[in-house]
Amino acid sequence: MRRIVHIGAVVATTAAVIPALAAFNPAQAPAPADPDGGGSTTAPLIVEEITPKSIGRSSTIRITGQVTNTTGSALRDVSVRFSYETYPFTERSELDAFSSGEGAQPDVEAAEVELGGPLEPGESADYTLRADASDLALSSWGVYPAAVQAFDGSGDGIGAERTFLPYRSGDGAPASVQIAWVWPLMDRPQRADEDTFLDNSLVQSLGPEGRLGRLLTAGAQSDEVSLEPEAPAEEASPPPSAAESPSGSPSASSGEAGGSAGGAEDSTDGTGSDVPVTWAVDPGLLADIERLTSPYRVTDDPQAVAEAAAGRGTSGGDAAATTSEEASPGARIWLEQARAALADGSVVSTPYASADIAALLRHGLSEDADAAVSLGRETVERVLERPADDTVALPRGGLMNTATREFYQRQGAGTFLLRDDAMPAQSWVEHTPTAQAPLSLGKGEEGTALVADSSLTDVVSRNASDPGEAALAQQRFAAETAMIAGEDTDTKRTVVAYPTSGWNPGAEYAAGMLEASGSLPWLEPVDLSEVEPSGPDAGEEREKLTYPKRGTRAELGKDYLSEIKDLRGRVRLFNSILVDGEDPFRPAVLRLESAAWRHDRDLARPARVLVEQAVERDMDKVRILPTEPVTLASATGTIGILIANDLDNHTVRVNLSLLSENPERLSIGNYEDAIEIGPGRKTTVYVELSTRVNGRTMIQMNLHNLSGEPISEEQVLAVNATGMGSQALVISGIGALVLVVALTPRALRKWARNRARRDSAAGAASAGGGEEPDEPDEPDDDGEASAGGPGVQDNDDGSTSPAPTGSDADSASSAHTAEDEDEDDDESGPGNTPAGR
């Protein structure tokens, strides 16, 4: 009934004030101008600080900020006004509607201040508004609409900001709500292979003003955690006084801490103690930061790498252009401070590089999922020098299907940090359910789901780093939690503040929210480990675990993971030659399987191409060194084949395979085919060769793993044989013997013929008077004399005359015929000459 009365009052008030607000229309405010042409985007109205964040009866509200003339002409008689509404919000959803500009601006004036003098174009002026809470006539506990507005002398609006006034006095003060903070230290994977970074953004992020730097120092809540270089002792600055404390700190918020601006009631609005924080870390990010502490390389243009690979239709080709960088001092300081800040707090972790567990399980990569968890645990303990809590699982995006839940359960998890899309409130529940709920693990086992509220997540995940955003964002956080606490319920509830993994808050905003968690009277900070289901009805307000369709659509897809599977095949082949089961590319593959690539596909492909190139480079470092052609000067010989292992940190074991192109000509003897080579070493394998025939023969040389798979490109060795082989000698000897046997009878016949002629000539000379005639020329094989020709004879004076004719010629002819017949009958060799000759 009270809610209905409040709604009616709000409607009536709105109807009454709309005509009065017609003169102020933020949509008609002058557009920001840039008189200097420098591209300035300064807002015309900035709210820098609102104190206290919640007010009591005796509080004094103080609002400070700045007005800037963003028009092209001077503004005169500028004033700033603080207005509010006298009726509180009744539903949490009204906060979003009011922030987005729905409904009329609050019109009950609480304070106004005029700025002195005209405001020239581009000129700014500070303002301070003060109002006593006792003058506001707020009647009940709740969150009230408020606004800060700037006008010129004619009443035209210059700028406006909407905000909230949480009022903690009056009737209806609720019981406190527990709040558990989960503080993310996460980022996308920064490296491709172990030594090559995709860009150099991580170095900037680790600095005092960088995203990870701000998250670390704000979450640590300690002045001892600092990323600034240490100053000499004599130059160290003294602790800030109360007047110098940063905005949002207990000393600055004197109205909350019970200072002079407030009354005794405000003393309940600040405790000054640290708020428990559970650090959620990505082990892959810790490893990336650790790698920055030694020299590294940065890819000059990742997109060019991807485009070149796409143009070739392959990931091969020239290595990407990189720039060498020195070790980062900022990375070393960040790690040192992180070890100190996280030493005593609660730490939970994702799998290595926030691997997309749901996608890996869906596409048959469960081994990679197991490796991501084990490597993640090892990395956290090595880098932070302390373990993470293995009983808490952080499913990506706070969503989890049954397969993912069973996987984390096998890994030892019993508590699961989820978003409320995974376990939404029952339709009949009108308030914010408590975060903790029992979760069935099957077979009678029960775990715990800790469900982060999505609206609160949106509020705390704001950037709020631009001028004026931090104060308004902190007021929205105070209003959101106050509305949760004020909901009608009789149970003790817990809310989990769990920003998104890419949270990038301003330093002031991040620190201010933690301070508010400890100071706002309706919040009770607790450690995440203390949140457990309680009572017999725990969990009834939430639906059972569900996996929305958007969870499946968001996973890494089949096509992308198929490319990773191909890469894993090359990695497996490389690993097969390493001793002791080493897997040096496992972290790189897991980084490629990160859920971060769901939303950053532009860098996913260059990262994969760079890893593929790194694998191929390392594969090529185990090789047979080119060899000059070999010459064998004898039937056998020994050659040396040089094999190199140019890997710096790995011992390899390979098999050498040799194959002769023509085994009948050149055969390969025994050699040591299984070889183990240390890092950066070379070894020579000696091989015996034997040749049977002179000539050139090619030997094919390959390196394989122990399973016979080739691991390098084939090399070819030319062998030239110049010495006679044994078989060739035998064949030549037999040929020579056959030739001798075939020619001997003919030589003997020729010898016998010549001898018979000499004997005949000698007998004729004796019968003719004792004068031995001149020995005729020996006929050649054709039976003709070597000097002269047929029908020619020599005269005494040396001249020639025709051969004799008639009886003399016939006698000569008859004699020659008889000799020829004797020669034809002579087939038995020497000793068969007729006796009469």
Side-chain angles (χ1 to χ4, degrees):
M1 183 65 184
R2 185 178 65 180
R3 179 175 297 172
I4 296 175
V5 172
H6 284 171
I7 294 174
V10 170
V11 172
T13 302
T14 303
V17 301
I18 287 177
L21 294 173
F24 182 83
N25 186 354
Q28 297 175 356
D34 182 14
D36 299 329
S40 173
T41 58
T42 302
L45 176 67
I46 291 176
V47 177
E48 295 178 343
E49 185 178 31
I50 301 175
T51 58
K53 293 180 177 65
S54 69
I55 60 175
R57 288 190 182 94
S58 58
S59 299
T60 296
I61 305 168
R62 182 175 180 270
I63 303 175
T64 63
Q66 189 178 78
V67 177
T68 301
N69 183 358
T70 59
T71 70
S73 59
L75 298 176
R76 301 183 184 278
D77 301 323
V78 175
S79 61
V80 182
R81 182 184 306 164
F82 167 48
S83 305
Y84 70 101
E85 281 296 339
T86 57
Y87 294 96
F89 294 104
T90 58
E91 302 285 346
R92 285 184 66 189
S93 59
E94 294 175 354
L95 301 183
D96 273 335
F98 179 73
S99 293
S100 62
E102 295 182 14
Q105 290 278 12
D107 70 329
V108 181
E109 183 179 327
E112 185 173 6
V113 63
E114 293 184 0
L115 305 183
L119 207 57
E120 298 297 331
E123 187 178 1
S124 299
D126 296 333
Y127 68 86
T128 300
L129 294 163
R130 287 184 176 85
D132 291 331
S134 58
D135 296 335
L136 303 185
L138 303 178
S139 59
S140 62
W141 194 101
V143 178
Y144 292 79
V148 179
Q149 309 163 35
F151 301 88
D152 63 13
S154 62
D156 293 333
I158 297 174
E161 293 289 357
R162 296 187 174 201
T163 187
F164 306 92
L165 277 184
Y167 184 59
R168 62 175 182 269
S169 299
D171 299 331
S176 62
V177 172
Q178 292 181 334
I179 183 169
W181 274 98
V182 180
W183 207 258
L185 293 178
M186 302 181 187
D187 207 338
R188 64 161 174 81
Q190 301 291 321
R191 287 179 292 168
D193 59 70
E194 292 305 286
D195 301 322
T196 308
F197 284 75
L198 296 170
D199 55 41
N200 218 14
S201 61
L202 182 57
V203 173
Q204 286 73 37
S205 183
L206 299 174
E209 301 303 322
R211 185 180 77 88
L212 292 172
R214 285 181 269 119
L215 286 173
L216 179 62
T217 53
Q221 306 169 81
S222 171
D223 292 338
E224 296 180 358
V225 176
S226 173
L227 301 178
E228 299 287 354
E230 294 184 3
E234 61 272 12
E235 298 180 6
S237 301
S241 63
E244 296 172 339
S245 298
S247 62
S249 65
S251 58
S253 304
S254 58
E256 298 184 36
S260 60
E265 189 179 29
D266 284 338
S267 63
T268 61
D269 202 14
T271 63
S273 60
D274 289 345
V275 173
V277 165
T278 295
W279 299 89
V281 301
D282 180 349
L285 174 63
L286 296 179
D288 288 341
I289 298 173
E290 182 185 46
R291 182 62 188 83
L292 289 174
T293 60
S294 57
Y296 60 97
R297 299 193 306 270
V298 178
T299 307
D300 293 345
D301 188 351
Q303 294 305 323
V305 174
E307 292 169 2
R312 291 187 297 268
T314 176
S315 61
D318 297 335
T322 60
T323 300
S324 298
E325 299 284 349
E326 297 296 326
S328 168
R332 178 186 55 80
I333 295 174
W334 194 95
L335 283 179
E336 291 174 353
Q337 298 303 304
R339 294 184 186 109
L342 279 62
D344 300 323
S346 298
V347 176
V348 296
S349 77
T350 67
Y352 189 90
S354 293
D356 195 338
I357 299 298
L360 296 181
L361 297 177
R362 186 183 302 278
H363 296 287
L365 295 171
S366 58
E367 290 185 4
D368 286 9
D370 291 333
V373 172
S374 60
L375 181 59
R377 292 173 178 174
E378 294 170 6
T379 303
V380 170
E381 190 159 4
R382 185 189 75 248
V383 177
L384 295 181
E385 300 175 356
R386 57 150 299 169
D389 185 356
D390 298 339
T391 65
V392 180
L394 306 179
R396 182 69 177 192
L399 300 177
M400 178 174 67
N401 56 19
T402 301
T404 305
R405 190 262 301 162
E406 292 175 346
F407 169 81
Y408 281 119
Q409 183 181 349
R410 290 193 300 270
Q411 300 295 334
T415 301
F416 304 84
L417 189 57
L418 307 174
R419 305 290 183 189
D420 57 7
D421 285 355
M423 295 184 70
Q426 296 281 3
S427 58
W428 50 266
V429 176
E430 297 181 354
H431 58 267
T432 304
T434 189
Q436 66 269 41
L439 180 65
S440 174
L441 302 181
K443 298 182 180 180
E445 296 185 42
E446 193 170 87
T448 302
L450 299 178
V451 184
D453 180 76
S454 57
S455 295
L456 185 61
T457 298
D458 292 341
V459 170
V460 300
S461 296
R462 293 179 62 177
N463 183 308
S465 59
D466 291 336
E469 290 186 349
L472 298 175
Q474 291 175 28
Q475 286 301 115
R476 175 61 192 274
F477 172 75
E480 196 78 34
T481 55
M483 291 297 295
I484 294 173
E487 293 169 334
D488 293 332
T489 176
D490 297 329
T491 59
K492 185 75 172 179
R493 288 175 300 156
T494 302
V495 293
V496 174
Y498 181 23
T500 56
S501 59
W503 190 31
N504 185 22
E508 180 185 353
Y509 176 48
M513 280 195 301
L514 288 178
E515 292 167 357
S517 299
S519 64
L520 295 172
W522 55 83
L523 290 179
E524 178 188 346
V526 295
D527 192 272
L528 191 72
S529 61
E530 300 175 10
V531 182
E532 296 180 355
S534 60
D537 298 331
E540 289 186 356
E541 296 179 340
R542 292 193 179 275
E543 297 180 7
K544 300 298 183 182
L545 179 67
T546 183
Y547 194 60
K549 290 183 178 179
R550 70 176 182 86
T552 303
R553 291 194 297 267
E555 295 174 8
L556 295 177
K558 179 180 178 180
D559 293 343
Y560 176 81
L561 289 178
S562 294
E563 296 175 335
I564 305 302
K565 286 182 179 180
D566 294 340
L567 171 60
R568 288 173 71 253
R570 295 296 296 169
V571 170
R572 180 201 60 79
L573 184 62
F574 176 72
N575 292 342
S576 68
I577 66 174
L578 304 181
V579 301
D580 301 327
E582 295 178 276
D583 192 0
F585 285 100
R586 171 62 71 186
V589 173
L590 293 177
R591 286 192 290 269
L592 295 177
E593 295 170 340
S594 171
W597 302 129
R598 292 177 174 183
H599 312 294
D600 198 352
R601 299 296 176 88
D602 289 342
L603 273 179
R605 179 169 175 77
R608 179 179 60 80
V609 171
L610 289 169
V611 174
E612 288 175 343
Q613 291 179 348
V615 174
E616 295 305 320
R617 283 197 305 270
D618 278 6
M619 289 281 286
D620 293 341
K621 289 180 180 180
V622 181
R623 67 194 194 283
I624 299 172
L625 294 180
T627 304
E628 296 294 330
V630 174
T631 299
L632 289 183
S634 61
T636 61
T638 301
I639 63 172
I641 297 175
L642 192 60
I643 303 174
N645 172 21
D646 293 334
L647 297 172
D648 295 330
N649 303 307
H650 305 291
T651 299
V652 300
R653 184 180 294 114
V654 295
N655 277 0
L656 174 64
S657 171
L658 302 177
L659 179 65
S660 174
E661 174 183 66
N662 189 342
E664 296 299 325
R665 174 180 292 180
L666 179 70
S667 61
I668 300 172
N670 295 329
Y671 60 92
E672 183 182 2
D673 55 354
I675 308 140
E676 185 170 305
I677 313 173
R681 305 294 297 274
K682 298 179 177 64
T683 189
T684 301
V685 178
Y686 293 98
V687 182
E688 294 182 357
L689 301 178
S690 60
T691 180
R692 297 180 178 87
V693 179
N694 286 354
R696 182 184 179 91
T697 306
M698 310 303 291
I699 296 179
Q700 298 170 352
M701 304 182 294
N702 290 279
L703 291 180
H704 298 80
N705 61 14
L706 300 185
S707 300
E709 298 173 288
I711 59 98
S712 67
E713 292 187 1
E714 180 179 273
Q715 298 282 340
V716 177
L717 174 63
V719 178
N720 295 314
T722 59
M724 189 72 71
S726 58
Q727 183 175 358
L729 291 175
V730 171
I731 293 174
S732 300
I734 294 174
L737 181 60
V738 170
L739 183 61
V740 169
V741 171
L743 295 179
T744 298
R746 183 165 183 171
L748 292 175
R749 285 198 301 272
K750 183 175 180 181
W751 174 81
R753 237 185 355 259
N754 291 337
R755 182 173 180 175
R757 288 174 182 164
R758 286 194 298 270
D759 291 344
S760 175
S766 299
E771 184 179 352
E772 184 176 350
D774 293 335
E775 185 175 347
D777 291 334
E778 182 179 349
D780 56 18
D781 290 341
D782 296 329
E784 297 178 353
S786 58
V792 178
Q793 69 176 10
D794 293 334
N795 298 321
D796 292 338
D797 58 1
S799 61
T800 59
S801 59
T805 58
S807 59
D808 292 337
D810 293 339
S811 299
S813 176
S814 299
H816 178 73
T817 300
E819 182 177 313
D820 288 343
E821 289 176 355
D822 290 341
E823 182 178 347
D824 291 339
D825 293 337
D826 186 6
E827 298 294 342
S828 302
N832 292 331
T833 304
R837 186 172 296 180

